[in-house]
Structures are given as C-alpha cells and as structure tokens.
Amino acid sequence: MNKISITCLAFFSTTMAVIAAPLVDYKNPSLSAEVRTDDLLSRMTLTEKVGQMCQYVGIEHIKKSEKYLTLKEMQSGDAHGVYPNLHSSKMPDLIKKGEIGSFLHVVDPKEANQLQQYASESRLGIPLIIGIDAIHGNGLVNGSTIYPSPLTMASSWNLDLVRQSSVETALEMRATGSQWTFTPNIDIARDPRWGRVGETFGEDTFLVSEMGVAVIEGLQQGDFTGDKKVLANAKHFVAGGEPVNGLNIAPMDLSLRSLKQDHFPPFKRAVDAGVYSFMAAHNEVNGVPAHANRFLFTEVLREEWGFEGFVVSDWMDIERLNGLHRVAETQTEAVYQAVDAGLDMHMHGPNFLRPLIKLVEQGRITEARINAAVRPILLAKFRLGLFENAQVDASAASDILFNAKHKQTALELARQGIVLLKNDSLLPLPQGKKIFVTGPNANNHTMMGDWVFKQPKENITTVVEGLRAVAKPSTSIDYFDLGSQVKTLDPRQFAKAAKRAKAADVAIVVVGGNALRYDRKGKTAGENVARSTINLYGEQLALVQAVQASGTPTVVVLINSRPLAEPWLVENVDALIEAWEPGALGGQALAEIIFGEVNPSGKLPITIPRSVGHLQAIYNHKPSTYVRRYIDAPTKNLFEFGDGLSYTQFKYGKPTLSASRIAENESTRLSVTVKNSGDRAGDEIVQLYIRDNFSRVTRPVKELKGFKRIHLDAKQSQEVTFDITPDTLAYFDLDMNWRVEPGDFTIMVGSSSRKTDLKTVTLTVKP
Ligand code: BGC
C-alpha cells in the first residue's frame, strides 16, 4: 500500500469510529434539555445524584480561612464557611468523584474555570453551577458594576431600570464564571432594627412583588437558555423580614392570614414569573423552622403554586435544625427533615451527602424524591449551556464589567432612587457658592451597601468627588475630613467643623450607616448587624448640630440602609436627602441633585418612624392601630411610605372611574390627570391605593395596588390610568377564600400614601 492509501484508510477508519459511536443523548446538544436530563439521570449512581444536591464554598475562600484562622476559630462559628475536618487540598478529589454539584463564593473567574475543569474530569463530566450573592450587581467580584442597593432601587419605583440592571448583572456574572444569583430578596421588611432592610425592596407587599418580578425577568429572561442569562433565586421563604426583636434568624410567629396576604404574594408572583430557585429562610415560622417546613416547601410552593425549579437551603441552616432549633436530634435527622420538607440542595459543605445516602438506603427517603431534586438542577445546567462550555474567557471580562452602558444604568438608578425628604427652599444650590462639606460618609465607599467586597477606588464616586466633579469653577468646595467611620467620630473636631461651616454659604453634612461587608469593625448594618435603636449612630447627630449651630444653612445627606429615626434632623436642618446606598456612581447622582442638574424623584418604599419605640410602623396598618396615642411623644411617623419631594410641583385632578358600580368579577378603569404646575421638568410617581370600606375581616386603612412613573415637562399634563381588576379588590375572607366582597371601596390616587396627598373616588361592587 502506498502512503496515500494508508492515509485514506486511517481517515476512513477514524470517521467510521466517530459514526459508529454516536454521542450519548445527554452529550448531544441537538436534543432538548429535557431529553438530555432524563438520559443523564438514568446513568447516574445514587452518590452522583446526591452529589448534585451538594454545594460548597469555593476552594480559595476555604484557603483564606485556613490561612487566617486557627482551627479553634474555624470550629467556633459557622460564618467562616470552612469545613473543620476537610482541608482545601481534598476538594479537587471530591469534585472529580462527582460528590459536589455546586459552589458559592467563587469570586475569581480563574478559580471558576479550575473548578469546572475538575468537574469535567468526573465520570460523567457534569459541570458545576456556581452561585453568588449578586444582589445589586455582582459586588463580591472585583471590578463589577455596583448598582444602588435594592432599597434604593425600590425608591426609584422604576421597574424598567431595575430589570435592565439585572440583565447587565447577568452578563457580568456569566463573564466571570457564575450562573446563579441568590436574589431577589423579596422579604417584607417590617422592622428597621433588622440589619438586612437595605437588601430588600421595603415594606410593601405589592411594591416588593413588582420589584422581585422585574429582577427575575432581567436575570432569567424567560427560561435562561444560553450563556448570557442566569438563574434567579426567590429568598428567603418566608417571613424573615419581621423577626422577633429585629434580630436576624430570630423566630417569626404570625397568623396564617398575615402569611398569606403579606408575606406569600411576592413569592407566588416570583413563581408565576418563572423563578427557577428558592431559598429557605433562616427563621422558624410558627414553630417549625423554614428548613424543615413541609407546609411551605411542598404543600404551598409545589402543590399549590406549581413551582418546578429547585430549593436551596441557606448557609448552615440544615445543621441548625439540629444545633440551634433542636427539632432534629442528629444531623442525619436534620437532613431527613429538610429533604422531606422539599429542600433540594444543601448550602453548604460535607455534612449532607453521606447522611442522605444513608437515608435512601434505609428507605426513609425514596430515590424518586432524590430524582425530583436532581432533575431541575441538571435541567438548569443544560439550559445554561454549561455542558457545551463551562469555561469563561477571563480576559474578555474587562469589556463587560463596569462598562459605559452598565455605568449609565447604575447612575440613572441612583438619580431616580435618591429621595428628597425636606427642603426649606435651600435646594437646588446655585453654582458660585462656598460649600463646606463634612461627615463620615462624605468621602468613603459606604454608598455601595452590603454584599460588596472592596472595589477599585477609581470605580467609586464618593459624595465629595461627585460634588467636585459637578461644581463649576465659580463654586468652591471645602471638605473637612473627619475620618470615614460613622462609629468613631471624634467630637473634639466638631468646633473646628463649625468654624469652617460658618465661613461657608452652605454646609453639607453626610452621615448615616455602614453596611460594608469587608469593614467588619465599622459596620452598623448588613447581615447579622441588628440595632436596638434606629437613630444616628454615635456622635453623628452632635456633629450635625454643631454645624447647624454655626448659622450656615445646612443640608444633611443620609447614606444608610434602613429607616433612620432622628426627629431633630427633620425639625431643624434646612434640607434632608435620603440617599440610601446609591451605588458606585452615587456621589455623582447626589451632586447632580444638589446642584439641580437632576430633579429628585425617588419616593420612600418604607415608613420612617419617630423612634424605635414606635415600631411596628407600616403605612398599611389596621384601622384600630392609632386610635390611642403615646403620652410621651407624638404618635406620627417622621415620613410616610411613598413620600418624596421634587423641585417642581404636581397637581392631581379629580379621579374618575370608567364604571363606578361593577359586579364581583368585573373590572373598571381609573383615570386621573396629573399636571406639572411648576416651572421645571420632573418625574412623578403616581400611586394608587385602595381601601375596602367595610369587610367581614378587618382590612388595612390603605393598600398600594398600582404605581406609574411619569415624566412631565413644566406645565405639562398627562392622563394616567389604572385598571382595577377583581384581583385588586379581593382579599382572604372569613373562611380564607380569596374573593371580592360586595360593598364600597375607596380608591385613592396621589403622590404619597398620606391622606392629604390622595384624591379619592368611590367604587361600588354590587352584591
Ligand atoms: C444569607 C443568604 C445568602 C447566603 C450565601 C446567607 O447567610 O442569609 O441570603 O444568599 O448566606 O451567601
């Protein structure tokens, strides 16, 4: 045989070999994700299946703890994410054995690639799904766009921008190796002592639901197929936002009625929007820890709502069934209760796989239950395209992270989310003035909020930097640096601050809180950082008082993550801005508002009470809540839900209904004309509330049922309409049936939840 025929033969036999060994179904990208999932599942051993239900923190995270913590420290708490008896060097083997299906806290794309490489070397080569807390941008990863915190987003009432920020977050995540974010946090925040208020969308069930859906739509964009989308996670199911004493993880005892009407709706809406994963809450709910709660995860979530995705536990909470709640005598029993309740994945670590295998071998958990848990996890990995390519090109990430488009979205959200609370004709400031600036949050990064690690300095615009950038040369900015910690101000400096303020035309004092995850000692808010008071921390009020006493008109800017009860501020300063945590470009947005380049338009998504003693302070309270008064303080809140000022004024006409008498199953349409009666353009958030005037079960004095953000030029008017459907009017009646009760409803429309801001019309539902 000559050389050519040998080559031909070799080519022929190789080709034949390829033809003879067709791809097994699960490896065949031309088949549907469902067919591939079933094929893969049929090839898996029990250990491999249970492996898919196991999530661990990243190897680098473990190594860091190994480096800085003693074994004793590692074993003393559960917050460090290490596994006392498992050294990081053992992890690659576990992945290759198929005993790990997921990771979290992987913040470097190179590490993500390495982990995926190990997974590809396992018997079936099943890729990992990597989860991360990308709560407002992928902030745990260096160089990401830090969008305003969820509470700030909610203050914008702008669903399109929130959705857009989620689309962009998904891109930034995929570029750096993660495909699953533990967001939206759709807890109803009803206690501002709780440290996590800033990562929620506030106190209102309707607003939280709308925001949650916008986030899910942006992240998943349908069924998240492809390499540009990620899985969302509805958390924490349920009721963690109202913990007893305001302390994270503390129990929640509440009526079935409150669960159904106040806490469930955002989660039900999330399921309807196709959210593919759920996370259980740390807390117990009416005596049964969420992690062992069959009612929540099987009866309600799957059987009633038809959820088809998978449920992950929260950080160490299956372990807590045994060690904290004491509903399980052993870890194996804890695993049994959690899986039996409906949990599908364990965050995090080694104390799950063996106990669960043992439970299946004993027949206490069926293999069918394991298959039901694993199927959606695998399906997600197929849809996300991980079987085709789990590696990311780390060098390409720099074009995506914090790019011009993403920065613009973050800036616009900050502009729209900042809330002007008080303005005695001081703002906007004209250029050409001498401005004195001070305060612990004036020149630091607290505006990034929680769930963020240190970011490049050049990516973050502090308030001082923003003011300097927006100020014209005729304006002078005199910044007095008092340090960047809200907890440790030195009062000996305050006289000097007052002196410099006196020499200026206007003083700006930037105070508030600190939720920065990486600033352990400086934090006053964030996960596990509750407060027993909710006023300004430490010496901050004294600083404001010293500056204000100088006689110079004073603007106070709050950068903080939860309602701050400080009546003195409201009564005494000339202007008050609640900036919440406006993200990477927050300083710029604030400066634009202060100098009037942007007209403020944010509205509060949460009530600001007068003091901690005034809690619970929610706008949708029951009729009898305030029939009696406190004898030692005004009963009124400092600010109401929906409050927020503009530099222009909006006037509401008389609302009308397309039909004012309808049957129980009919709808009507409300129309109202809103006019910008001032002399500059501005955005208004038109809010719709209802009250069921008489009902067999008491109803809140008002409930938000719709909102629209509109833009109006000076003197421009617009007709705004809202559809009032049976769902707008229905409630859980005496027998817990969801229905519309005949009778009169007061329909209210206006610029906040305050009675004085609302125009009303009566709707009758005929018997
Ligand atoms: C939090 C979750 C978070 C998880 C992973 C937990 O402590 O409660 O919200 O997703 O940690 O970081």
Side-chain angles (χ1 to χ4, degrees):
M1 250 194 292
N2 64 25
K3 215 170 154 191
I4 292 180
S5 41
I6 292 174
T7 315
C8 283
L9 191 63
F11 174 77
F12 183 71
S13 49
T14 320
T15 313
M16 283 308 286
V18 170
I19 293 168
L23 282 180
V24 290
D25 279 1
Y26 83 90
K27 291 192 172 166
N28 185 346
S30 64
L31 295 174
S32 73
E34 286 76 8
V35 169
R36 297 174 77 185
T37 300
D38 285 341
D39 177 61
L40 177 55
L41 207 49
S42 72
R43 295 170 193 275
M44 293 168 77
T45 63
L46 177 62
T47 305
E48 284 165 339
K49 287 180 189 173
V50 176
Q52 289 301 304
M53 299 167 73
C54 296
Q55 183 182 61
Y56 283 63
V57 288
I59 297 182
E60 292 307 318
H61 187 94
I62 301 177
K63 278 193 198 156
K64 227 182 271 165
S65 308
E66 284 167 354
K67 202 155 141 200
Y68 298 114
L69 300 174
T70 62
L71 183 64
K72 205 162 154 228
E73 278 170 326
M74 287 192 217
Q75 286 169 335
S76 68
D78 58 21
H80 304 306
V82 290
Y83 312 119
N85 300 316
L86 176 66
H87 193 263
S88 55
S89 58
K90 300 262 167 51
M91 300 284 288
D93 268 356
L94 286 184
I95 307 173
K96 290 179 196 171
K97 280 202 287 191
E99 294 192 6
I100 302 180
S102 177
F103 273 91
L104 81 160
H105 285 203
V106 177
V107 297
D108 182 345
K110 287 196 213 89
E111 184 189 358
N113 282 344
Q114 179 66 69
L115 296 173
Q116 295 288 12
Q117 177 57 38
Y118 296 140
S120 72
E121 292 165 30
S122 64
R123 187 178 76 90
L124 294 162
I126 305 175
L128 303 159
I129 183 162
I130 300 183
I132 197 160
D133 289 281
I135 309 293
H136 48 117
N138 195 16
L140 300 180
V141 171
N142 191 42
S144 300
T145 307
I146 311 301
Y147 296 90
S149 69
L151 196 66
T152 323
M153 292 191 193
S155 297
S156 79
W157 303 56
N158 189 330
L159 301 173
D160 293 336
L161 271 182
V162 170
R163 194 179 299 107
Q164 179 58 26
S165 71
S166 304
V167 168
E168 293 166 4
T169 298
L171 287 173
E172 297 200 10
M173 286 175 59
R174 291 306 297 259
T176 47
S178 24
Q179 314 84 20
W180 175 24
T181 164
F182 306 125
T183 203
N185 178 339
I186 42 178
D187 289 330
I188 301 297
R190 285 184 153 189
D191 192 329
R193 294 173 298 179
W194 187 46
R196 305 190 71 167
V197 171
E199 61 171 292
T200 73
F201 297 110
E203 77 186 31
D204 180 66
T205 303
F206 181 81
L207 182 58
V208 169
S209 305
E210 294 288 308
M211 288 282 156
V213 168
V215 169
I216 293 161
E217 287 172 351
L219 294 169
Q220 296 195 166
Q221 299 161 58
D223 73 358
F224 53 86
T225 296
D227 60 2
K228 308 241 170 328
K229 305 163 201 164
V230 299
L231 236 65
N233 180 271
K235 75 182 188 187
H236 309 83
F237 200 47
V238 68
E242 212 182 337
V244 72
N245 303 329
L247 293 164
N248 202 27
I249 308 188
M252 203 46 246
D253 250 31
L254 79 186
S255 68
L256 183 61
R257 181 173 295 281
S258 177
L259 262 183
K260 286 194 161 199
Q261 76 190 9
D262 303 320
H263 295 275
F264 279 178
F267 291 94
K268 166 72 165 67
R269 291 281 308 280
V271 172
D272 294 344
V275 75
Y276 207 68
S277 74
F278 255 61
M279 188 185 291
H282 287 312
N283 50 287
E284 59 172 81
V285 183
N286 298 341
V288 183
H291 280 72
N293 205 314
R294 215 168 188 281
F295 163 69
L296 292 177
F297 287 97
T298 299
E299 289 171 32
V300 174
L301 182 61
R302 292 198 189 271
E303 292 171 5
E304 195 181 320
W305 298 349
F307 175 67
E308 289 182 345
F310 63 95
V311 179
V312 64
S313 65
D314 200 352
W315 188 277
M316 288 294 179
D317 279 302
I318 296 183
E319 285 74 359
R320 289 190 184 122
L321 295 177
N322 167 238
L324 179 68
H325 300 291
R326 292 173 170 256
V327 293
E329 280 193 23
T330 60
Q331 173 65 8
T332 302
E333 183 58 24
V335 171
Y336 169 75
Q337 290 184 14
V339 176
D340 180 61
L343 272 78
D344 305 307
M345 188 185 280
H346 173 244
M347 176 204 292
H348 54 90
N351 292 327
F352 185 76
L353 184 119
R354 308 267 164 243
L356 186 49
I357 291 175
K358 193 163 125 200
L359 287 162
V360 177
E361 286 166 356
Q362 288 169 349
R364 290 188 74 201
I365 296 282
T366 62
E367 192 147 352
R369 171 70 192 96
I370 302 294
N371 290 345
V374 178
R375 183 173 279 108
I377 298 171
L378 295 177
L379 192 65
K381 293 180 178 182
F382 280 114
R383 288 197 191 149
L384 290 162
L386 293 172
F387 282 84
E388 279 57 73
N389 186 17
Q391 297 288 316
V392 292
D393 175 3
S395 65
S398 59
D399 290 344
I400 298 169
L401 269 57
F402 203 56
N403 68 23
K405 185 157 181 252
H406 298 187
K407 272 160 90 169
Q408 188 55 34
T409 310
L411 177 60
E412 199 48 45
L413 257 175
R415 287 170 174 156
Q416 298 192 15
I418 292 169
V419 189
L420 177 62
L421 288 176
K422 182 181 181 192
N423 187 16
D424 280 349
S425 307
L426 180 60
L427 296 175
L429 297 183
Q431 295 279 357
K433 300 278 180 193
K434 246 186 115 178
I435 299 174
F436 171 71
V437 188
T438 194
N441 281 349
N443 206 22
N444 64 13
H445 289 184
T446 48
M447 69 215 342
M448 293 198 296
D450 196 3
W451 295 108
V452 164
F453 285 152
K454 254 197 183 119
Q455 295 295 326
K457 209 171 165 301
E458 62 277 13
N459 286 11
I460 314 301
T461 312
T462 68
V463 181
V464 172
E465 287 164 356
L467 288 168
R468 287 196 171 128
V470 180
K472 301 261 153 60
S474 58
T475 302
S476 77
I477 307 280
D478 173 27
Y479 169 54
F480 182 37
D481 185 356
L482 284 171
S484 58
Q485 290 294 344
V486 296
K487 276 184 173 174
T488 53
L489 277 178
D490 179 0
R492 287 169 304 182
Q493 300 287 318
F494 294 176
K496 212 188 266 173
K499 202 165 158 213
R500 272 165 73 167
K502 205 174 171 58
D505 297 317
V506 178
I508 300 176
V509 191
V510 190
V511 289
N514 175 358
L516 291 173
R517 194 153 272 262
Y518 56 83
D519 185 8
R520 282 203 184 167
K521 287 204 180 120
K523 278 169 77 148
T524 62
E527 205 190 355
N528 300 323
V529 188
R531 288 190 63 196
S532 63
T533 54
I534 51 169
N535 53 354
L536 273 174
Y537 199 102
E539 301 293 334
Q540 295 185 90
L541 182 63
L543 168 66
V544 179
Q545 288 172 329
V547 171
Q548 197 260 2
S550 72
T552 298
T554 301
V555 182
V556 169
V557 174
L558 302 175
I559 293 190
N560 60 318
S561 56
R562 53 177 151 188
L564 217 143
E566 202 59 271
W568 188 92
L569 286 185
V570 183
E571 283 149 22
N572 293 284
V573 299
D574 301 276
L576 182 61
I577 299 177
E578 177 52 89
W580 300 124
E581 290 155 332
L585 293 129
Q588 184 180 334
L590 259 163
E592 290 170 344
I593 286 176
I594 287 173
F595 286 115
E597 290 188 10
V598 166
N599 191 352
S601 56
K603 303 257 187 182
L604 294 178
I606 195 161
T607 305
I608 313 278
R610 180 161 286 266
S611 78
V612 76
H614 288 69
L615 300 178
Q616 180 190 65
I618 52 173
Y619 84 94
N620 47 353
H621 57 80
K622 291 297 186 66
S624 54
T625 308
Y626 293 113
V627 69
R628 298 288 179 254
R629 306 268 143 179
Y630 294 114
I631 57 153
D632 55 353
T635 308
K636 265 176 45 192
N637 294 312
L638 293 182
F639 294 101
E640 297 294 341
F641 178 84
D643 269 352
L645 303 172
S646 164
Y647 295 150
T648 187
Q649 298 83 42
F650 298 98
K651 293 254 171 328
Y652 284 72
K654 200 175 158 27
T656 56
L657 294 171
S658 59
S660 56
R661 283 177 67 78
I662 57 172
E664 285 166 39
N665 56 354
E666 286 176 346
S667 297
T668 183
R669 175 168 286 186
L670 175 135
S671 306
V672 66
T673 301
V674 184
K675 179 172 183 190
N676 178 351
S677 58
D679 53 11
R680 56 180 296 164
D683 283 10
E684 167 69 326
I685 295 153
V686 184
Q687 303 163 40
L688 176 87
Y689 298 88
I690 66 147
R691 177 170 191 177
D692 192 346
N693 291 358
F694 290 91
S695 48
R696 193 64 173 76
V697 178
T698 62
R699 302 300 302 144
V701 292
K702 54 180 78 89
E703 294 171 83
L704 183 75
K705 291 291 176 177
F707 59 87
K708 280 189 183 157
R709 173 181 262 276
I710 56 169
H711 177 83
L712 291 177
D713 288 333
K715 310 296 177 216
Q716 194 191 355
S717 299
Q718 187 180 322
E719 189 184 56
V720 179
T721 60
F722 292 97
D723 286 331
I724 297 171
T725 65
D727 232 27
T728 318
L729 305 172
Y731 86 121
F732 289 101
D733 71 5
L734 206 52
D735 303 318
M736 292 303 272
N737 295 316
W738 177 249
R739 74 175 186 102
V740 181
E741 255 181 18
D744 285 355
F745 291 78
T746 303
I747 314 290
M748 299 161 253
V749 64
S751 60
S752 83
S753 68
R754 283 173 195 268
K755 203 170 172 189
T756 46
D757 282 340
L758 293 166
K759 292 274 166 78
T760 64
V761 58
T762 303
L763 170 68
T764 304
V765 175
K766 294 180 284 190

